[in-house]
């Protein structure tokens, strides 16, 4: 349509010059479309873009990878994996949880490509549920999302506060050496300080957050590889391959004897670690 309007306005133009002008304009429009297809899609949806698209693909990936944080995810529920199922659940649970996570991730990517709105979970729900159920689906999605954000942020930061408690205890001599064991009130103060620091951090410009996210992703990758090499190297005893791939632990304090139920409970370690990848879709 743009080319037809241009032709109508320049009927008297020289034919060769007109063709060159149209060709140049066509290339420019094509370049713009390729450069930011999301902006064009927002225009189709009736949205006016308000936020800058300053995050690269690597930066967007870094946000999700940092939130997934394999190091903190594994250590938080490592005991759960060992107790419910043991090596079998911990080894094969990654494959099962990873497979279903991939299905959900691919679905979110497809929806995000169709509706590229920032924080678009509510909009997606409204569009996919239809006019009748759209408002209710959007409301449910919004509240589940915000409550989940509150819970995961406070739980992770409280784990960090407890980690600080242990670090201080060990560095001052430990339990048997008269080390300082912070009280629960001191741990709560640690928790409040960590939450405040994270609130300030998330108020920084997006370029700063992009750098911090990329740094965090690199730290997670490096940390995982260091542990993969360091732990087997310093371990005084090593388990056999038969134990790792075939041993299924059924001994637990809660007296659960159903093997399928034990296996499902053991999957929590893998599932908890792999949560948070939806951050890329939020951004």
């Amino acid at each position: 349509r743009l080319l037809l309007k241009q032709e109508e306005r320049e009927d008297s133009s020289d034919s060769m010059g007109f063709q060159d002008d149209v060709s140049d304009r066509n290339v420019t429009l094509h370049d713009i479309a390729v450069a930011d297809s999301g902006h064009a899609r927002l225009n189709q949806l009736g949205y006016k873009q308000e936020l800058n698209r300053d995050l690269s693909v690597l930066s967007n990936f870094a946000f999700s990878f940092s939130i997934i944080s394999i190091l903190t995810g594994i250590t938080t529920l490592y005991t759960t994996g060992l107790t419910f199922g043991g090596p079998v659940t911990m080894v094969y649970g990654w494959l099962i949880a990873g497979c279903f996570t991939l299905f959900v991730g691919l679905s979110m990517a497809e929806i995000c490509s169709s509706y590229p709105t920032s924080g678009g979970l509510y909009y997606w729900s409204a569009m996919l549920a239809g006019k009748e159920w759209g408002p209710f689906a959007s409301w449910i999605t919004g509240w589940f999302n915000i409550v989940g954000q509150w819970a995961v942020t406070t739980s992770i930061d409280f784990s960090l506060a407890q980690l600080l408690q242990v670090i201080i205890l060990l560095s001052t001599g430990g339990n048997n050496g008269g080390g300082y064991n912070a009280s629960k009130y001191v741990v709560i103060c640690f928790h409040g300080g960590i939450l405040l620091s994270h609130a300030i951090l998330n108020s920084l410009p997006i370029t700063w957050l992009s750098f911090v996210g990329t740094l965090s992703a690199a730290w997670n990758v490096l940390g995982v590889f260091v542990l993969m090499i360091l732990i087997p190297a310093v371990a005084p005893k090593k388990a056999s391959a038969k134990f790792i791939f075939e041993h299924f632990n059924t001994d637990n304090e809660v007296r659960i004897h159903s093997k399928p139920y034990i296996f499902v409970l053991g999957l929590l370690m893998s599932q908890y670690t792999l949560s948070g990848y939806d951050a890329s879709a939020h951004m």
Side-chain angles (χ1 to χ4, degrees), residues 34-56:
V34 171
D36 196 349
S37 60
H39 182 76
R41 177 59 179 154
L42 286 177
N43 288 337
Q44 291 179 352
L45 295 173
Y47 263 84
K48 179 184 177 183
Q49 181 175 313
E50 300 288 350
L51 302 176
N52 294 328
R53 295 173 180 267
D54 292 333
L55 289 180
S56 64

Side-chain angles (χ1 to χ4, degrees), residues 107-125:
S107 300
M108 294 186 73
E110 184 72 17
I111 299 172
C112 189
S113 178
S114 301
Y115 305 108
T117 55
S118 180
L121 279 71
Y122 328 111
Y123 184 75
W124 300 351
S125 302

Side-chain angles (χ1 to χ4, degrees), residues 78-155:
Y78 200 78
T79 303
T80 302
L82 284 175
T83 303
F84 297 103
V88 168
T89 302
M90 298 173 77
V91 171
Y92 300 108
W94 282 108
L95 300 176
I96 296 173
C99 181
F100 283 101
T101 296
L102 185 61
F103 290 153
V104 177
L106 290 172
S107 300
M108 294 186 73
E110 184 72 17
I111 299 172
C112 189
S113 178
S114 301
Y115 305 108
T117 55
S118 180
L121 279 71
Y122 328 111
Y123 184 75
W124 300 351
S125 302
M127 292 296 99
L128 296 175
K131 292 183 179 180
E132 183 178 358
W133 290 99
F136 178 72
S138 184
W139 186 84
I140 288 291
T141 301
W143 274 108
F144 266 93
N145 179 62
I146 192 63
V147 170
Q149 298 291 350
W150 291 339
V152 72
T153 303
T154 52
S155 66

Side-chain angles (χ1 to χ4, degrees), residues 204-224:
L204 297 176
I206 191 65
T207 51
W208 291 32
L209 292 177
S210 175
F211 170 76
V212 172
T214 304
L215 181 65
S216 176
W219 181 265
N220 273 276
V221 172
L222 180 63
V224 169

Side-chain angles (χ1 to χ4, degrees), residues 48-277:
K48 179 184 177 183
Q49 181 175 313
E50 300 288 350
L51 302 176
N52 294 328
R53 295 173 180 267
D54 292 333
L55 289 180
S56 64
V57 174
L58 177 62
S59 298
N60 203 334
F61 163 77
F63 271 114
S64 286
F65 195 75
S66 300
I67 295 173
I68 291 173
S69 186
I70 298 173
L71 293 173
T72 56
I74 289 180
T75 53
T76 303
L77 290 181
Y78 200 78
T79 303
T80 302
L82 284 175
T83 303
F84 297 103
V88 168
T89 302
M90 298 173 77
V91 171
Y92 300 108
W94 282 108
L95 300 176
I96 296 173
C99 181
F100 283 101
T101 296
L102 185 61
F103 290 153
V104 177
L106 290 172
S107 300
M108 294 186 73
E110 184 72 17
I111 299 172
C112 189
S113 178
S114 301
Y115 305 108
T117 55
S118 180
L121 279 71
Y122 328 111
Y123 184 75
W124 300 351
S125 302
M127 292 296 99
L128 296 175
K131 292 183 179 180
E132 183 178 358
W133 290 99
F136 178 72
S138 184
W139 186 84
I140 288 291
T141 301
W143 274 108
F144 266 93
N145 179 62
I146 192 63
V147 170
Q149 298 291 350
W150 291 339
V152 72
T153 303
T154 52
S155 66
I156 291 174
D157 282 2
F158 189 71
S159 298
L160 179 55
Q162 291 177 316
L163 178 62
L164 288 177
Q165 179 191 33
V166 174
I167 291 175
I168 294 173
L169 175 63
L170 294 177
S171 62
T172 55
N175 272 328
N176 298 327
Y180 174 71
N181 189 9
S183 67
K184 59 183 179 181
Y185 302 106
V186 175
V187 174
I188 289 295
C189 290
F190 287 162
H191 188 207
I194 294 169
L195 286 170
L196 179 61
S197 68
H198 286 171
I200 296 173
L201 181 65
N202 279 278
S203 301
L204 297 176
I206 191 65
T207 51
W208 291 32
L209 292 177
S210 175
F211 170 76
V212 172
T214 304
L215 181 65
S216 176
W219 181 265
N220 273 276
V221 172
L222 180 63
V224 169
F225 275 100
V226 168
L227 291 178
M228 287 173 60
I229 297 172
L230 189 62
I231 292 177
V234 301
K237 296 182 179 180
K238 297 179 176 64
S240 65
K242 180 179 179 63
F243 176 83
I244 293 173
F245 294 105
E246 296 182 13
H247 178 70
F248 187 83
N249 182 48
T250 57
D251 297 329
N252 54 79
E253 295 179 354
V254 291
R255 299 180 181 179
I256 298 176
H257 304 293
S258 171
K259 289 186 176 181
Y261 188 39
I262 291 174
F263 185 79
V264 169
L265 290 176
L267 283 178
L268 286 173
M269 188 196 77
S270 304
Q271 290 176 308
Y272 179 78
T273 304
L274 291 174
S275 63
Y277 55 89

